[in-house]
Amino acid sequence: MSAANTSGASGAGRNPYAAKLPTLAVVGATGAVGTVMLDLLSTRENVWGEIRLIASARSAGKRLTVRGEQVEVVALSEDAFDGVDVAMFDVPDEVSAEWGPIAAAKGVVVVDNSGAFRMDPEVPLVVPEVNPGQVRNRPKGIISNPNCTTLSMIVAMGALHAEFGLTSLIVASYQAASGAGQAGIDTLRGQLAKVAGSPTLGSQPGDLRRSVGDLGPFPAPLALNVVPWAGSLKDGGWSSEELKVRNESRKILGLPNLKVSATCVRVPVITTHSLAVHAVFEREIAVAQAREVLRDAPGIVLCDDPANGEFPTPNDVVGTDPTWVGRIRSSLDDPREIELFVCGDNLRKGAALNTAQIAELVAREFSAR
């Protein structure tokens, strides 16, 4: 560990052993996910020495609170990584693609939340509850964090796959506006304000488009509507979000031939993605068996009592860390198939929390030295 880890360590007053702990950089600290990350760092077990906050030059000089202390944001530069052991990146793909390798070349273990490296065969795609051992398989010094939609379901699918052998998935996602960033949140709130006073909007073709005006990052009005599109257009009419669910699930589970079909839909929810999942397994799987596995699996809350109106909804799940699972049913046609409904906060487990969990696995390597 470098000498930079032992001087001016943020939080040293709280942890007398901070000088022995690895130095962490949060790149993109002022963004939406970065804000959640700072909250997580302030509430989870303190495994870090200095925490350095890095953002674009326009954010340099700002002071943010982490672990109860004010820390000044520094501009992204090569020198900003001097003395850093682990860096969590939450920046656009192109920024990660440029700066991730620069940090790694300085000996920093990069945990990246963008899509820049997810499908690179030399970069592990890690969900700590599913494939934690892949953290050490990082020839490029980079570990990738999955897409928030994949993360909302893969913890549950990983637990069930380990017991019953997953063979295929058919998924319909119900994705929150925050998945499109702050612009998505602002657009939905603005549209809701415009439609709130009308008792008739949504009853005539095109009336929402005429009323809301600005569509923001969405191809159609989101307020009082659902939009069967998320991401960018890819071959065959598939969206990039749909292909991420397919490709990332295969890589995380180590199932390169897993059959996956996804339809991604944007819904008028601020934060928390939901998915309706049809899963097929190698062996028969009863509802009671599925519930037992999910009840005992880390990172999952089972909420499944439809008779009493208990099942996950985005509004009940937002702001929480686990994956919530309910509406578990046996297929009417095949005892190897089950249906279930999953919710996960796309800014927490879907982004910041999973990144933090990966980084904490790396931090243990330093404590073992």
Side-chain angles (χ1 to χ4, degrees), residues 27 76-78 81 89 91-106 110 112 114-117 140 142:
V27 185
L76 179 60
S77 69
E78 187 171 344
F81 296 103
F89 276 61
V91 292
D93 291 8
E94 62 273 14
V95 179
S96 282
E98 177 182 359
W99 286 95
I102 290 172
K106 294 177 72 71
V110 173
D112 182 54
S114 82
F117 307 104
K140 292 186 174 181
I142 300 172

Side-chain angles (χ1 to χ4, degrees), residues 8 23 70 90 113 120 145 239 288:
T23 293
Q70 290 281 300
D90 186 71
N113 191 40
D120 186 326
N145 193 56
S239 79

Side-chain angles (χ1 to χ4, degrees), residues 278-281 285 329-331 333-339:
H278 171 87
V280 182
F281 297 89
I285 174 172
R329 293 148 287 151
S330 292
S331 169
D333 302 308
D334 190 327
R336 298 172 303 144
E337 303 174 358
I338 61 168
E339 322 290 333

Side-chain angles (χ1 to χ4, degrees), residues 150-168:
T150 307
L151 268 168
S152 294
M153 71 162 187
I154 204 66
V155 177
M157 290 300 100
L160 293 172
H161 167 62
E163 293 293 329
F164 302 102
L166 186 65
T167 62
S168 71

Side-chain angles (χ1 to χ4, degrees), residues 28-299:
T30 58
V33 175
T35 300
V36 177
M37 184 66 71
L38 299 190
D39 176 63
L40 289 170
L41 290 171
S42 299
T43 55
R44 291 178 66 80
E45 180 184 359
N46 184 25
V47 300
W48 304 107
E50 178 189 356
I51 294 180
R52 194 172 303 175
L53 307 183
I54 301 175
S56 63
R58 66 178 178 274
S59 295
K62 290 183 177 180
R63 299 185 71 83
L64 303 175
T65 301
V66 58
R67 298 188 300 190
E69 299 183 4
Q70 290 281 300
V71 179
E72 185 173 322
V73 177
V74 301
L76 179 60
S77 69
E78 187 171 344
D79 291 345
F81 296 103
D82 287 348
V84 171
D85 298 301
V86 181
M88 299 190 296
F89 276 61
D90 186 71
V91 292
D93 291 8
E94 62 273 14
V95 179
S96 282
E98 177 182 359
W99 286 95
I102 290 172
K106 294 177 72 71
V108 179
V109 178
V110 173
V111 184
D112 182 54
N113 191 40
S114 82
F117 307 104
R118 287 177 185 148
M119 300 317 297
D120 186 326
E122 294 187 287
V123 174
L125 187 62
V126 174
V127 179
E129 296 91 342
V130 180
N131 60 343
Q134 285 296 309
V135 162
R136 292 180 176 269
N137 179 27
R138 49 176 194 264
K140 292 186 174 181
I142 300 172
I143 304 166
S144 198
N145 193 56
N147 176 262
C148 54
T149 313
T150 307
L151 268 168
S152 294
M153 71 162 187
I154 204 66
V155 177
M157 290 300 100
L160 293 172
H161 167 62
E163 293 293 329
F164 302 102
L166 186 65
T167 62
S168 71
L169 289 170
I170 300 175
V171 178
S173 73
Y174 305 88
Q175 295 180 219
S178 57
Q182 189 62 46
I185 296 173
D186 293 344
T187 296
L188 176 56
R189 291 198 183 279
Q191 291 182 0
L192 290 172
K194 290 179 179 179
V195 305
S198 172
T200 60
L201 273 176
S203 60
Q204 297 293 327
D207 60 354
L208 285 173
R209 288 181 184 269
R210 291 188 293 272
S211 177
V212 304
D214 181 20
L215 298 179
F218 311 118
L222 192 56
L224 304 183
N225 204 19
V226 297
V227 181
W229 189 258
S232 57
L233 181 63
K234 299 298 180 182
D235 291 346
W238 295 95
S239 79
S240 57
E241 287 285 307
E242 291 160 349
L243 295 181
K244 287 174 186 176
V245 173
R246 175 182 174 86
N247 296 332
E248 293 177 15
S249 295
R250 288 175 158 190
K251 185 173 181 179
I252 295 163
L253 297 174
L255 298 172
N257 297 316
L258 180 68
K259 297 178 181 179
V260 183
S261 179
T263 299
C264 291
V265 182
R266 195 74 72 179
V267 297
V269 167
I270 299 298
T271 299
T272 295
H273 291 347
S274 306
L275 299 96
V277 180
H278 171 87
V280 182
F281 297 89
E282 295 173 354
R283 297 183 292 282
E284 292 187 7
I285 174 172
V287 168
Q289 292 175 305
R291 285 178 176 154
E292 182 178 2
V293 169
L294 294 170
R295 187 181 295 113
D296 295 339

